[in-house]
């Protein structure tokens, strides 16, 4: 069974609510591709207007973060049921910027993954090594740990529907993309890790994205790799070029 590609934008901390709606209007006609699941990951304050602007289109909306508690005294955090009520379908969890600047641990990310699943939100769980780790030759050891802890207590049935984003930190926002071979090697390694935790059927279904300086020029080659099921796109998701990335096979 061929896995359906999933191409998600990660807007990060960009776009005011009114800018966000204008960007959706620009991108809407450009991201029509019936072969691909299209997702816009947007800042929390943009979620409501972006969901509204995406009504009746092929675009699903993702949050960029979420807390793992139901509700209560967690000033500044966003609860899963708030996202569900607002029409969010996916949530980006464990992005390297959140791990680095906001000290999120694999254990925190695991709690968030479990909570998102409980509420019917699909996690896009991020992993990826630093340049130092790559140079030390411990890329796969590090990523296996992130994936194994991130997926603790997630059942095979639940894992099948998840999305994992492999994003080498050295390739994020640097214009320095991993080669398609480098990206494929790690995505294949992640799939093997899933097969070890669960089974081959689960590994065959889970979707694994590549992220890190994906652009209109390199998307087709990356997405043609056997174990790369689409991309998580930062900078280029804010531009009309995102349409070319989504329509990489046209
Ligand atoms: P980039 O970001 O495409 O700007 O490198 C990717 C990401 O951080 O998800």
């Amino acid at each position: 069974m061929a896995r359906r590609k999933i191409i998600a934008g990660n807007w990060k901390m960009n776009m005011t609510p009114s800018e966000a709606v204008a960007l959706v209007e620009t991108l809407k006609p450009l991201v029509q591709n019936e072969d691909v699941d299209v997702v816009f990951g947007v800042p929390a304050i943009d979620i409501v207007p972006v969901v509204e602007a995406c009504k009746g289109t092929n675009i699903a909306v993702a949050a960029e973060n979420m807390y793992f508690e139901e509700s209560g005294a967690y000033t500044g955090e966003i609860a899963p049921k708030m996202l569900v009520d607002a029409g969010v379908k996916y949530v980006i969890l464990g992005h390297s910027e959140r791990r680095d600047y906001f000290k999120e641990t694999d254990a925190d990310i695991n709690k968030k993954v479990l909570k998102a699943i409980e509420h019917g939100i699909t996690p896009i769980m991020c992993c990826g090594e630093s340049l130092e780790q790559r140079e030390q030759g411990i890329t796969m050891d590090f990523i296996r740990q992130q994936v194994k802890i991130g997926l603790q207590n997630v059942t095979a049935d639940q894992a099948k529907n998840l999305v994992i984003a492999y994003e080498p930190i050295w390739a994020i926002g640097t214009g320095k993309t991993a080669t398609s071979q480098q990206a494929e090697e790690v995505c294949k390694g992640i799939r093997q890790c899933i097969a070890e935790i669960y089974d081959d059927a689960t590994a065959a279904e889970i979707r694994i994205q590549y992220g890190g300086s994906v652009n209109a020029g390199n998307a087709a080659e990356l997405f043609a790799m056997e174990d790369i099921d689409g991309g998580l796109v930062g900078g280029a998701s804010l531009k009309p070029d995102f349409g070319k990335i989504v329509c990489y096979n046209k």
Side-chain angles (χ1 to χ4, degrees), residues 8-12 23 27 40-41 214 233-242 245:
N10 174 10
W11 291 8
K12 308 194 179 187
L23 181 59
L27 291 179
F40 287 4
V214 173
V233 183
S237 71
L238 298 167
K239 299 185 246 170
D241 257 17
F242 191 59
I245 297 172

Side-chain angles (χ1 to χ4, degrees), residues 200-249:
D200 289 346
T202 308
E205 274 194 51
I206 198 165
R207 293 188 289 179
I208 304 175
Q209 298 173 315
Y210 166 77
S213 300
V214 173
N215 60 43
N218 59 30
E221 188 186 330
L222 286 160
F223 301 165
M225 304 308 285
E226 191 184 336
D227 289 288
I228 301 180
D229 306 315
L232 183 56
V233 183
S237 71
L238 298 167
K239 299 185 246 170
D241 257 17
F242 191 59
K244 297 195 186 122
I245 297 172
V246 169
C247 299
Y248 74 98
N249 62 340

Side-chain angles (χ1 to χ4, degrees), residues 16-39:
T16 65
S18 53
E19 288 168 348
V21 171
L23 181 59
V24 171
E25 294 307 328
T26 304
L27 291 179
K28 250 190 224 177
L30 307 177
V31 297
Q32 303 298 317
N33 185 350
E34 64 289 352
D35 305 327
V36 170
D37 288 339
V38 181
V39 182

